[in-house]
Each structure stands twice: as C-alpha cells, then as structure tokens.
Amino acid sequence: MKKVLLLLSNGFEAVEASVFTDVLGWNKVEGDGTTDLVTVGLHKQLTCTWNFIVQPEFTIDQVNLDDFDALAIPGGFEEAGFYDDAYDQKFLDVIKDFHAKKKIIATICVAALPLGKSGIMKGKKATTYNHPTSIRQTQLKEFGALVVNDPIVVADNIITSYNPSTAFGVAFTLLEMLTSKENCKNVKELMGFH
C-alpha cells in the first residue's frame, strides 16, 4: 500500500485538496487498490479559502513521516492565511523530510512556494501561479527555482503546477508515479477523463 500524506494549511483551496482525495480514493476502490491518503494539518480544524471548515484526520505531531510514500500539498490564498501555515517551520520540516528521503512531492499552484521557502527548489525546474498580474512566479525564482511556464512541471520526484485548472493533472501524475501508466489510464477512464 502506498500512503500519501495530504498536508493542509489554513486557507487552502478545497478543490485543490479534493482532487487528491478523489483520484487516490477512486484508485483504492476501482483501480489497483494500492493507494491510501491521510489528511494532516498543523491544527485540529482548518478553514479553507472560502470559509469551508475541515477537520484533518491528524495533526503533524500525531503522524510518523516514515509511514508515507508521498506528500501532496494544495495551494491557497494569502488573504485566507495560507502562508501563515505553509511557511511555518513545522510545515517546512515535513517538506524537507520527504525531499531528503527522495519521496514524491506533488503540489498545485502556490503550494510550490513553501517548497521554495524550505530550500529544496534551488536549481530545479518548477512552476507556480502564472497569471500576468501575479508576483508568485517571481517569488519562486527568488527561492532559486528555475521557473518554467508550463501547466505541470515534473523535476525528479517533485511535481509543481501553475493554477487550479491543473489540479486533476497533478493528481493523475502523482497516481501514475505511485502505480503505473496503465493503472492511471484505467482510473482516468473510469472517472470519465478521455
């Protein structure tokens, strides 16, 4: 069984978290059955970007990171407090732990920024929120990343993407990396993606 830690911060976008729960959940029931996802946050209760209240299954101090094969992080909004948690040392330490053990890290949109803040993106190709009015790609460059303006960028074991429209693509990329191309194709087809 491949266990994925879904790391949630206050201010995360619910839709960006739900693609991971859905794709990996569909795989668990309808695919090859080898994936399990656990929701983890800094707090016992979190408020999403649009005031949706969520209770993660565990807080960071309640889990053993060695039990997990991959890390998934949805993005969020600064106005909703996303970076308060995402830039917290406990949050960054989880990222560094997974990176040090060469485990897969999948992020959507601005969730690439805590990767940058943690120091693991220096000299690596990556992307983040790409709208022309946004400062996020500049911020990622300042963390030392080689910013590429592609929808999804995979560099070694790290997946980054540039906006919420890429969310399913990131979740399927993660599924393929955890299982196989054939299994991922099957789950996509079952979910109605052609």
Side-chain angles (χ1 to χ4, degrees):
M1 187 66 79
K2 301 282 178 72
K3 280 182 79 175
V4 177
L5 190 156
L6 181 60
L7 186 57
L8 303 172
S9 69
N10 265 322
F12 76 89
E13 282 208 68
V15 70
E16 293 181 14
S18 68
V19 293
F20 292 116
T21 61
D22 271 40
V23 168
L24 296 169
W26 271 77
N27 184 64
K28 188 175 183 177
V29 176
E30 300 287 342
D32 71 6
T34 63
T35 53
D36 195 21
L37 181 136
V38 177
T39 55
V40 178
L42 290 185
H43 320 284
K44 289 180 181 172
Q45 183 173 292
L46 302 164
T47 305
C48 298
T49 295
W50 316 118
N51 298 324
F52 195 64
I53 305 295
V54 173
Q55 285 184 297
E57 295 161 273
F58 300 100
T59 54
I60 285 175
D61 55 346
Q62 294 175 314
V63 294
N64 179 358
L65 300 183
D66 291 334
D67 292 344
F68 296 90
D69 301 285
L71 176 64
I73 312 173
F77 271 65
E78 184 168 12
E79 295 82 351
F82 176 76
Y83 300 101
D84 295 343
D85 280 3
Y87 284 179
D88 184 282
Q89 196 56 53
K90 283 184 184 176
F91 202 97
L92 301 178
D93 286 345
V94 173
I95 292 166
K96 289 195 258 191
D97 183 276
F98 276 76
H99 181 66
K101 292 168 182 158
K102 296 184 173 25
K103 294 177 181 178
I104 301 165
I105 301 174
T107 67
I108 298 169
C109 198
V110 297
L113 292 170
L115 301 190
K117 176 91 172 159
S118 77
I120 72 165
M121 296 311 295
K122 288 185 176 73
K124 281 193 169 47
K125 286 184 180 174
T127 195
T128 191
Y129 187 59
N130 69 321
H131 194 273
T133 61
S134 174
I135 59 167
R136 301 307 177 201
Q137 289 200 342
T138 301
Q139 289 176 319
L140 191 58
K141 276 182 193 153
E142 288 167 357
F143 288 129
L146 307 172
V147 174
V148 180
N149 202 24
D150 286 340
I152 296 173
V153 176
V154 180
D156 301 323
N157 61 323
I158 299 171
I159 307 164
T160 55
S161 79
Y162 68 24
N163 59 41
S165 75
T166 64
F168 268 111
V170 171
F172 286 127
T173 302
L174 173 61
L175 178 62
E176 185 176 314
M177 289 170 79
L178 286 170
T179 62
S180 69
K181 188 169 264 197
E182 194 53 43
N183 179 64
C184 183
K185 188 178 166 196
N186 178 48
V187 172
K188 267 183 166 172
E189 195 272 326
L190 288 166
M191 291 182 75
F193 289 88
H194 301 285

